[in-house]
Amino acid sequence: MLHSKNPIVDEALGALAFTPDIEAETAEIYARLKGKVSPIEWQIQAPLIAAINRLKRETNAVVLAHNYMTPDIFHGVGDYVGDSLGLAREAAKSDAKIIVQGGVHFMAETSKILAPEKTVLIPDLRAGCSLASSLTGEQLRLIKQRYPGLPVVSYVNTTADVKAETDICCTSANAVQVVEWAAKEWGVDRVILVPDEFLARNVARQTNIGIIAYKGACEVHERFNAQDIAEVRAAHPDAVVLGHPECPPDVIAACDFTGSTTAMADYVMQNKPKQVVLITECSMADNVTADAGEGVEFLRPCNLCPHMKRITLEGIYASLLTMTHEVTVDAAIIDKARLSVQRMIDMPPTITPARYDMIKARHHVDVELIS
């Protein structure tokens, strides 16, 4: 039996069982997850998935599931799935009264900024982000004083107080486009791009706009190195290597394709390579596998995000059952932060979304790193 620290939740969990009705109700989901979930695991997961989907209908709730969620969440209970930009757009337009964030805390804050009238829940308050915690609003205010008149572009992987000090947010899907827009809009030839140093360095290799960067990093992507790619290619010379722009530039230069999580998934679905490596969080490959079907072999390496893995089916069920944990943002912060997030959402789609030019990626372009 599954257990939580809440007796109400424990009682509800104890009543869940893998019955023939539950098996039939979840059969379509299980068909997508075969090979990723064992029959024994499914007997535990299926009742939870059915119960969560029932609670969503009863409470007018939706689950926004990031690409790094585990397959049982991503395919089992996610109403909207995708990267940070896609989930932000869905949060803004959803008619649901309750949003359960299948992701980390900054994503829940972003949902609240865009939909302050909605109740936003996160199943585990410990689901943070090393990148988001690397920069505070106060630190960004000091950076702006140091570089007066320059626009601030903040990666969406930031806290609400950072977004409140930002001119426009970006994701890895549109960072180059946003940087060039901001430079043109402000009439300058350089911009501040925080907090991800590696994203900033990779963007700098795609544009003539000067980049002032901050020394933050994602603990998942910074651990990859060019040797990882070399070893994969030595063992699997025909494999296609797809990288995320939060990786170090030498990793990106060694890849065949670079883009956001959605762009990587789209590449696999459109090209169906026989062997592919996703240089990003491990659950990404598991989720794309379920969509790609047979004929595409996913190879490692990959790294797990400990924060994303704090979000579980049990946690989502408990969150909906007890309406915890609610994410709130100060109204004054929301008013300031909404403009930067909305500007990002309002950017027109790129001609080639999230695709980084791999020829440019191999050239060295300096950034000014804030010390």
Side-chain angles (χ1 to χ4, degrees), residues 16-273:
L16 298 180
F18 186 67
T19 64
D21 286 344
I22 294 295
E23 184 176 15
E25 185 179 342
T26 59
E28 185 176 340
I29 299 171
Y30 184 54
R32 296 170 63 84
L33 297 180
K34 275 186 177 178
K36 292 299 174 187
V37 177
S38 70
I40 294 176
E41 288 176 309
W42 187 246
Q43 290 183 29
I44 297 172
Q45 293 176 357
L48 274 165
I49 288 170
I52 289 168
N53 288 332
R54 182 175 61 251
L55 277 174
K56 288 189 304 182
R57 293 190 295 270
E58 293 173 355
T59 60
N60 190 13
V62 293
V63 174
L64 306 185
H66 189 266
N67 287 327
Y68 295 159
M69 290 291 96
T70 51
D72 53 341
I73 295 172
F74 189 88
H75 292 288
V77 300
D79 297 287
Y80 304 106
V81 298
D83 57 17
S84 297
L85 179 58
L87 296 187
R89 285 176 170 150
E90 293 299 340
K93 68 182 183 181
S94 173
D95 292 329
K97 292 182 179 179
I98 299 168
I99 292 173
V100 181
Q101 199 74 45
V104 292
H105 196 268
F106 80 79
M107 296 177 182
E109 283 190 332
T110 303
S111 293
K112 188 64 177 179
I113 289 167
L114 290 169
E117 75 286 357
K118 299 183 188 302
T119 298
V120 177
L121 305 175
I122 190 164
D124 194 320
L125 289 172
R126 299 171 299 168
C129 172
S130 61
L131 186 54
S133 64
S134 69
L135 182 67
T136 66
E138 182 178 359
Q139 289 171 317
L140 184 51
R141 284 192 291 273
L142 293 174
I143 292 170
K144 290 164 67 175
Q145 291 174 16
R146 185 172 171 181
Y147 300 95
L150 294 187
V152 175
V153 177
S154 288
Y155 200 23
V156 76
N157 301 38
T158 47
T159 57
D161 64 329
V162 168
K163 290 180 173 71
E165 299 296 330
T166 296
D167 293 304
I168 181 171
C169 291
C170 73
T171 70
S172 57
N174 64 5
V176 176
Q177 178 193 21
V178 169
V179 161
E180 293 181 343
W181 175 87
K184 182 179 180 181
E185 192 75 8
W186 267 256
V188 294
D189 59 3
R190 60 179 184 159
V191 306
I192 301 166
L193 176 56
V194 294
D196 192 313
E197 176 188 350
F198 296 140
L199 178 73
R201 291 188 182 279
N202 289 321
V203 168
R205 296 183 181 203
Q206 302 291 314
T207 180
N208 292 324
I209 305 301
I211 303 291
I212 298 167
Y214 184 78
K215 199 171 180 62
C218 166
E219 63 185 282
V220 171
H221 294 100
E222 70 176 337
R223 295 202 300 268
F224 292 109
N225 58 64
Q227 183 62 30
D228 294 329
I229 312 301
E231 291 173 358
V232 168
R233 291 199 186 281
H236 306 279
D238 295 327
V240 176
V241 182
L242 313 184
H244 192 281
E246 291 177 23
C247 294
D250 62 336
V251 172
I252 297 308
C255 290
D256 299 305
F257 175 92
T258 296
S260 68
T261 53
T262 295
M264 287 192 282
D266 289 347
Y267 181 98
V268 173
M269 296 303 295
Q270 292 168 9
N271 295 280
K272 297 293 181 71

Side-chain angles (χ1 to χ4, degrees), residues 265-300:
D266 289 347
Y267 181 98
V268 173
M269 296 303 295
Q270 292 168 9
N271 295 280
K272 297 293 181 71
K274 291 183 178 180
Q275 291 184 320
V276 63
V277 181
L278 302 183
I279 305 299
T280 188
E281 213 276 345
C282 290
S283 290
M284 176 77 186
D286 294 334
N287 292 327
V288 178
T289 299
D291 289 326
E294 297 181 1
V296 180
E297 179 186 5
F298 288 83
L299 308 170
R300 289 341 192 219

Side-chain angles (χ1 to χ4, degrees), residues 322-336:
T322 62
M323 290 293 112
T324 54
H325 305 275
E326 185 173 358
V327 175
T328 60
V329 180
D330 184 88
I333 296 291
I334 287 178
D335 287 342
K336 294 180 65 179

